[in-house]
Amino acid sequence: MDQPTQTITWKCSNCGYTFSAEKPPEKCPACQVKCEFLDVSCYTPDCQGQPGDPRLR
C-alpha cells in the first residue's frame, strides 16, 4: 500500500514567495533564482488549518 504524499509549504529564501508542493523545485517559480527553500509548514495545532506557520513568515 502506498504512503499518502504530504504537501509541504515552502518559502523562497530569496524573494519570500510561498507555495505548497511535495518537494521544492530547482528554481523559484516567482523570481526564477536557484535558491534555498525553507519548510514553513505548520506542524502544531496552533495553526488552526493555515497552510504555513505564521511564526515563520
Side-chain angles (χ1 to χ4, degrees):
M1 199 169 183
D2 290 333
Q3 293 283 340
T5 57
Q6 180 178 0
T7 301
I8 298 171
T9 304
W10 299 100
K11 182 176 181 180
C12 173
S13 62
N14 184 55
C15 71
Y17 178 70
T18 304
F19 61 97
S20 295
E22 290 179 34
K23 59 182 181 176
E26 285 288 318
K27 291 194 288 186
C28 175
C31 68
Q32 299 299 312
V33 173
K34 187 173 181 178
C35 56
E36 180 180 2
F37 290 94
L38 309 171
D39 179 352
V40 294
S41 298
C42 189
Y43 296 105
T44 66
D46 300 340
C47 297
Q48 300 172 358
Q50 296 178 37
D53 191 331
R55 298 170 292 185
L56 300 174
R57 293 188 188 243

